[in-house]
Amino acid sequence: MRTVRVGVIGTGMIGQTHIQRITGVVRGGQVVAVTDVDLARAEQVAGTLPAAAVVHKTGQDLIADNDVDAVLVTSWGATHEEYVLAAIAAGKRVFCEKPLAPTADGAMRIVEAEMAAGRRLIQVGFMRRYDAAYNALKNTLDAGEAGTPLLMHCAHRNPSAPPYGFTTDMIVSDSAVHEIDLVRWLFGEEIAAVRILHPRSSSRASEDLRDPLIVLLEMASGILIDVEVFVNAGYGYDIRAEVVGESGTLSLSHGGLATVTRDGQRGTPVPANWRERFDGAFDAEFTDWLRAVGTGTTTGPSSWDGYAAAVVTDRCLEALRTGDRVEVALPERPGFYAGRS
Ligand code: NAD
Ligand code: ISE
């Protein structure tokens, strides 16, 4: 397997953690180039790398660099589409953080460009599919331990929303999008309809934010899922899930954390943030991606999965505006993406 020379577009929070991962944790990759609209940040990050990396002025320059085999897109969501399309045009493999694109139309343009290129080039960063606790839940479900699934309860709690620029729409498109992808993967079927409910908002949330929300997802088979998304929960980063089946229930374990008993108390530590909770999943995700790129194979969530999540997100935003139950119409999955959920 050859070492994959990776160029990174967007050296902010997750860009830096993925760079550290490729550089010092997982095998198979080397960061050879970086860029960011904040060039000073890109230069500062390049300065921390063990081997010299080129700092490009633009993402387009980085994609055109002959020394870049594969592109990691970790810029803001609204900018993903232009870089993914440019990488497809250059015939380069891409790891794109979620969302693939903020709207279904944008994601469909990527799907069409990839199909026109004739081979799978893109993996989308839905890292929960690589999380050990979610995989244990899926294996137990698939083994029939709870019987036919009827319901699922989820909680997606962040300690606090970013102080600026985080909108109510983003509670769906940036946060709940993880559960939207996850339930398609977990149950192996599509989401057929959505609704959004909102209790009174937390006083911790900024005035213009409706936080928390309850996102209701109806699967094609009739399984009903409620997702509490609360981005100012205050106490930590808490991800929960429980599947209710005809003959039992399955609960997501707390990411492998031990229960601590001392001083007359018993408890499990709550992770501080998504990095702490999903670090192992990100490592597994990048190990898999680099192996696939290095061996010329494909793996992981595809651009079709990114598109399907964007279609559901669009319908959720409609449900948020109207208060209605909104049906989801997803076109048939093209044969090009066959066999993947
Ligand atoms: P961030 O603001 O910390 O970093 C984004 C960086 O991209 C910034 O440095 C910004 O200057 C740069 N940037 C913005 N537009 C650009 C452009 N056009 N060209 C080049 N650089 C540009 O944000 P973040 O938290 O690192 O999030 C980045 C992406 O990763 C988002 O899509 C977000 O949804 C996703 N994300 C995923 C997870 C996960 O759990 N999988 C967690 C956090 C963030
Ligand atoms: C962030 O962008 C992520 O993707 C995290 O996984 C999620 O928990 C958080 O809500 C998002 O803002």
Side-chain angles (χ1 to χ4, degrees):
M1 187 177 98
R2 70 191 163 89
T3 297
V4 179
R5 298 171 302 172
V6 180
V8 182
I9 302 178
T11 52
M13 197 160 39
I14 204 163
Q16 291 179 36
T17 71
H18 289 338
I19 287 171
Q20 286 159 11
R21 196 176 319 282
I22 293 169
T23 306
V25 182
V26 303
R27 288 163 175 264
Q30 185 193 347
V31 175
V32 296
V34 295
T35 188
D36 196 292
V37 278
D38 180 347
L39 217 49
R41 178 179 286 167
E43 276 160 5
Q44 184 267 322
V45 171
T48 65
L49 294 173
V54 180
V55 179
H56 284 289
K57 286 208 167 63
T58 70
Q60 308 293 350
D61 292 345
L62 179 142
I63 291 165
D65 183 339
N66 286 331
D67 289 332
V68 169
D69 301 319
V71 181
L72 169 56
V73 179
T74 44
S75 50
W76 295 321
T79 70
H80 293 177
E81 181 186 345
E82 79 169 280
Y83 294 132
V84 175
L85 289 175
I88 293 172
K92 295 195 177 179
R93 300 288 291 266
V94 184
F95 184 101
C96 180
E97 258 308 334
K98 42 69 51 176
L100 177 60
T103 65
D105 287 348
M108 181 44 92
R109 284 190 284 274
I110 292 172
V111 163
E112 285 170 351
E114 190 181 37
M115 289 203 297
R119 63 192 178 108
R120 286 261 325 262
L121 294 168
I122 296 146
Q123 179 166 339
V124 182
F126 288 127
M127 79 297 183
R128 291 191 186 190
R129 295 181 181 214
Y130 289 93
D131 178 62
Y134 275 116
N135 275 279
L137 187 75
K138 181 164 173 53
N139 292 340
T140 321
L141 177 72
D142 290 348
E145 296 284 333
T148 304
L150 307 172
L151 289 173
M152 183 175 181
H153 307 293
C154 303
H156 184 155
R157 300 190 188 130
N158 293 184
S160 58
Y164 306 106
F166 200 87
T167 62
T168 304
D169 281 6
M170 288 172 77
I171 297 182
V172 177
S173 63
D174 203 57
S175 301
V177 71
H178 283 292
E179 274 83 7
I180 288 170
D181 176 69
L182 184 92
V183 299
R184 294 183 59 249
W185 168 80
L186 184 67
F187 296 114
E189 57 179 278
E190 298 299 344
I191 296 167
V194 300
R195 277 188 71 186
I196 305 235
L197 306 175
H198 32 79
R200 72 183 199 186
S201 289
S202 164
S203 62
R204 288 174 181 273
S206 59
E207 253 176 35
D208 49 350
L209 205 62
R210 304 200 77 151
D211 180 37
L213 297 179
I214 304 279
V215 179
L216 293 171
L217 305 172
E218 288 174 37
M219 304 306 289
S221 68
I223 302 168
L224 183 62
I225 296 142
D226 58 88
V227 187
E228 172 209 312
V229 200
F230 188 8
V231 295
N232 288 284
Y235 66 86
Y237 186 81
D238 198 5
I239 300 297
R240 300 183 186 193
E242 184 186 33
V243 176
V244 179
E246 278 179 356
S247 48
T249 68
L250 309 171
S251 298
L252 186 74
S253 78
H254 289 296
L257 294 173
T259 299
V260 180
T261 306
R262 72 166 188 216
D263 302 331
Q265 305 257 328
R266 177 171 294 139
T268 312
V270 180
N273 50 47
W274 50 264
R275 288 183 294 279
E276 210 177 285
R277 170 62 183 82
F278 286 112
D279 215 32
F282 287 123
D283 289 350
E285 178 185 50
F286 272 80
T287 299
D288 198 37
W289 180 62
L290 290 168
R291 188 191 302 120
V293 177
T295 57
T297 55
T298 54
T299 187
S302 65
S303 37
W304 182 259
D305 295 311
Y307 167 69
V311 170
V312 178
T313 300
D314 278 3
R315 298 284 73 81
C316 283
L317 296 180
E318 185 184 335
L320 182 64
R321 279 191 297 276
T322 61
D324 293 341
R325 172 181 180 276
V326 179
E327 295 195 351
V328 178
L330 193 66
E332 201 171 321
R333 183 199 308 254
F336 186 80
Y337 296 103
R340 300 177 188 277
S341 57

